Amino acid sequence: MKALDELTFDNRFARLGDAFSTHVLPEPLDEPRLVVASNAAMALLDLDPAVAETPVFAELFSGHKLWAEAEPRAMVYSGHQFGGYTPQLGDGRGLLLGEVYNEAGEHWDLHLKGAGMTPYSRMGDGRAVLRSSIREFLASEALHALGIPSSRALCVIGSSTPVWREKQERGAMVLRLAHSHIRFGHFEYFYYTKKPEQQAELAEHVLNLHYPECREQPEPYLAMFREIVERNAEMIAKWQAYGFCHGVMNTDNMSILGITFDFGPFAFLDDFDAHFICNHSDHEGRYSFINQVPIGQWNLSALAQALTPFISVDALKEALGLYLPLYQAHYLDLMRRRLGLSTAEDDDQKLVEQLLKLMQNSGVDYTLFFRRLGDEPAAQAVARLRDDFVDLAGLDAWAERYKARVARDGDYSEVQRRERMHAVNPLYILRNYLAQNAIAAAESGDYSEVRRLHEVLSKPFEEQAGMEQYAQRPPDWGKHLEISCSS
Ligand code: AMP
Ligand code: MG
């Protein structure tokens, strides 16, 4: 276990120089205080969880103090936002404080969001408010606990600094961790500004540090792109299987590591709704739940365009062609497991589609349905869940098919079935209304609910005593919350 001043820095991105990022010092928040910290994320840095409660911790992650070895930098990038190209974006309110090695030899970026203005702030104030910082913290840690690749979050620090959004709020900072904060938009920036040397430097950097195994391949850059395609296909399959809606899949929010990144007005589905739009400024539903699948490919094509100086168009096209089949395979594999199936049959895709259609028509809770399906043997479970459906004839027909399919799958004891299904079907997810309750308490100075919710979500598959209230469908007020896009 390390103390805070024992972190080992190695600032590889900063060393790329001023063409890639700008030195900026964080602008401190007033009266910093710890809102919540993640012990699991602390462990990634070998930090003793007790240090989160010390005053210096809040000072470090609110811009008051800095390690001597840190080199805070705002990164430049660009990206396609809602389909249109924005030539220059960048860390407008976040800073890469530095990169740290842990004892296992893993490298973690420390990225502080809400740290004040940078040359890339455009019209913004460089700040993040408490509510959005809490949402990012909870989402990153909850996704990770579900087995969905994501950036991580070390802590949220609150403050008394006023920040103006639709109304006056309080500034906060969230410390984000990832092996890299490089986005698709980084490559797009150097491609569209016609800076081939820097673009090559960036590509070498990513290849050497994040895809070293691709060096062994005859065409290392192509191998790297293929790997990025594969990782994105897998990540988005997991989003779809677990009902996660990102909300702002702009290419500047897509990580070159294939991790969920840059959380805005995201949501987990309550009732299953394929066309759900969690971002209220997304009027056309470009980033609706179901559209995340083709948008994943669209974003990869935008990255492919930026890689044309290194890879032939034919090879890029071929690699892009891997996306959909890989997505389908991962998705179907996960959905089979969610249904308690361990073998594969040709008609499984149809079985899943029919179920989702029934759930859509009846507004069935996506998470609880699968959890309850694993509580009992198939016949009893579907009989009990029948009441949640409107189209009873449809459900009955599906149930017959499902029971026959389960019978063909193998002979499992009730306990085996439950254990296997509960291991992939969470009981607790980050429902918007749960986040909202925790935020309301935190805004009035009580952080206990954020901390409790974080705890519950860190073990989503494990039934936890006394936590029944976190495993319920939302109350009416919590069903259609408009989550502000301002953050
Ligand atoms: P986002 O939609 O959060 O991914 O942000 C898009 C771009 O706007 C990024 O370059 C952000 O750094 C920048 N940005 C968002 N909010 C602010 C803010 N309050 N101040 C400065 N820049 C911001
Ligand atoms: Mg962003």
Side-chain angles (χ1 to χ4, degrees):
M1 288 288 182
K2 286 184 178 171
L4 277 166
D5 56 2
E6 291 172 329
L7 296 181
T8 313
F9 282 83
D10 178 18
N11 305 318
R12 307 173 302 184
F13 192 86
R15 285 201 292 275
L16 288 174
D18 292 343
F20 298 85
S21 64
T22 307
H23 174 77
V24 182
L25 285 173
E27 195 183 319
L29 291 173
D30 301 328
E31 302 181 81
R33 66 215 59 171
L34 177 72
V35 175
V36 61
S38 162
N39 287 353
M42 299 281 281
L44 300 174
L45 305 181
D46 307 318
L47 286 175
D48 179 350
V51 305
E53 303 292 342
T54 59
V56 66
F57 186 87
E59 285 165 2
L60 276 166
F61 299 118
S62 62
H64 286 269
K65 281 210 164 103
L66 205 56
W67 294 266
E69 306 83 0
E71 288 179 67
R73 311 283 299 193
M75 305 163 103
V76 63
Y77 51 82
S78 63
H80 280 84
Q81 300 185 304
F82 290 90
Y85 186 64
T86 306
Q88 195 192 292
L89 294 161
D91 287 333
R93 54 169 166 176
L95 292 176
L96 177 60
L97 292 182
E99 300 170 54
V100 164
Y101 267 113
N102 68 14
E103 267 154 21
E106 286 169 348
H107 214 273
W108 289 98
D109 280 7
L110 307 186
H111 194 274
L112 191 60
K113 193 161 170 180
M117 303 249 275
T118 77
Y120 315 111
S121 297
R122 300 183 296 161
M123 310 300 278
D125 58 3
R127 289 306 191 194
V129 293
L130 182 62
R131 100 188 115 74
S132 68
S133 306
I134 289 175
R135 280 172 53 84
E136 172 144 7
F137 175 91
L138 290 173
S140 358
E141 292 302 283
L143 283 169
H144 172 74
L146 286 170
I148 303 177
S150 173
S151 59
R152 303 293 302 274
L154 187 77
C155 62
V156 175
I157 305 297
S159 78
S160 61
T161 304
V163 172
W164 285 94
R165 294 295 180 257
E166 288 89 352
K167 56 182 171 53
Q168 186 183 303
E169 300 190 42
R170 299 288 173 197
M173 294 191 196
V174 55
L175 193 283
R176 188 158 71 178
L177 300 173
H179 296 310
S180 169
H181 281 70
I182 297 176
R183 307 142 191 266
F184 290 9
H186 275 86
F187 283 97
E188 293 181 280
Y189 175 75
F190 293 105
Y191 173 73
Y192 288 106
T193 52
K194 301 197 168 54
K195 293 181 179 155
E197 278 162 33
Q198 276 96 356
Q199 211 202 4
E201 232 181 303
L202 179 72
E204 279 296 289
H205 177 90
V206 174
L207 185 67
N208 289 336
L209 300 186
H210 304 294
Y211 293 96
E213 65 289 350
C214 295
R215 273 256 170 259
E216 317 301 319
Q217 301 292 319
E219 284 192 67
Y221 287 138
L222 175 59
M224 176 167 82
F225 179 65
R226 223 183 255 138
E227 179 77 23
I228 295 173
V229 170
E230 287 173 17
R231 289 193 194 185
N232 272 271
E234 185 168 354
M235 171 186 76
I236 293 174
K238 289 182 174 175
W239 290 0
Q240 302 307 113
Y242 284 106
F244 178 76
C245 207
H246 181 284
V248 200
M249 288 175 73
N250 294 335
T251 56
D252 52 302
N253 292 337
M254 302 305 291
S255 148
I256 48 105
L257 298 182
I259 58 175
T260 318
F261 196 54
D262 259 23
F263 295 86
F266 69 84
F268 278 88
L269 297 181
D270 289 308
D271 297 353
F272 181 78
D273 178 4
H275 306 291
F276 183 69
I277 301 165
C278 62
N279 182 349
H280 292 280
S281 37
D282 181 7
H283 304 294
E284 314 210 315
R286 178 180 174 86
Y287 300 139
S288 74
F289 179 64
I290 194 78
N291 276 358
Q292 297 189 124
V293 182
I295 287 292
Q297 185 161 24
W298 195 97
N299 287 342
L300 286 162
S301 314
L303 175 62
Q305 181 65 44
L307 294 177
T308 48
F310 309 114
I311 309 168
S312 78
V313 171
D314 285 346
L316 284 165
K317 278 191 179 154
E318 199 184 317
L320 278 170
L322 297 171
Y323 172 82
L324 264 185
L326 277 172
Y327 163 80
Q328 282 293 352
H330 281 298
Y331 176 74
L332 196 53
D333 177 57
L334 267 167
M335 294 308 285
R336 279 193 184 105
R337 287 161 57 198
R338 297 206 72 179
L339 286 169
L341 303 172
S342 59
T343 58
E345 284 188 10
D346 287 347
D347 275 352
D348 290 343
Q349 170 94 21
K350 229 183 260 163
L351 193 71
V352 171
E353 282 167 8
Q354 286 164 345
L355 172 64
L356 293 182
K357 208 163 174 193
L358 288 161
M359 291 175 93
Q360 168 103 30
N361 292 342
S362 300
V364 173
D365 189 89
Y366 188 56
T367 300
L368 290 179
F369 175 86
F370 286 99
R371 183 70 182 193
R372 299 289 166 241
L373 191 65
D375 280 346
E376 295 171 287
Q380 281 102 304
V382 284
R384 198 185 295 269
L385 287 161
R386 191 172 182 268
D387 286 349
D388 292 344
F389 289 82
V390 178
D391 176 5
L392 291 179
L395 192 268
D396 290 343
W398 182 84
E400 287 314 309
R401 254 171 258 137
Y402 175 62
K403 285 185 282 185
R405 177 67 183 87
V406 169
R408 287 196 302 279
D409 195 59
D411 195 10
Y412 312 111
S413 73
E414 192 176 337
V415 175
Q416 278 172 330
R417 173 178 157 89
R418 184 183 307 124
E419 278 180 0
R420 214 178 36 185
M421 289 184 71
H422 284 189
V424 290
N425 291 323
L427 182 56
Y428 311 103
I429 54 155
L430 180 56
R431 296 177 188 272
N432 262 341
Y433 90 95
L434 293 173
Q436 206 47 45
N437 281 339
I439 288 166
E443 284 180 337
S444 60
D446 175 4
Y447 306 136
S448 60
E449 186 56 25
V450 177
R451 295 178 185 190
R452 192 159 44 237
L453 182 57
H454 163 59
E455 274 296 311
V456 170
L457 295 172
S458 68
K459 287 173 271 170
F461 301 106
E462 235 174 80
E463 189 159 350
Q464 298 165 47
M467 297 298 165
E468 297 78 14
Q469 72 271 29
Y470 296 99
Q472 309 289 332
R473 300 186 70 165
D476 280 343
W477 69 264
K479 273 202 163 172
H480 303 287
L481 288 174
E482 300 235 336
I483 300 302
S484 168
C485 300
S486 68
S487 55

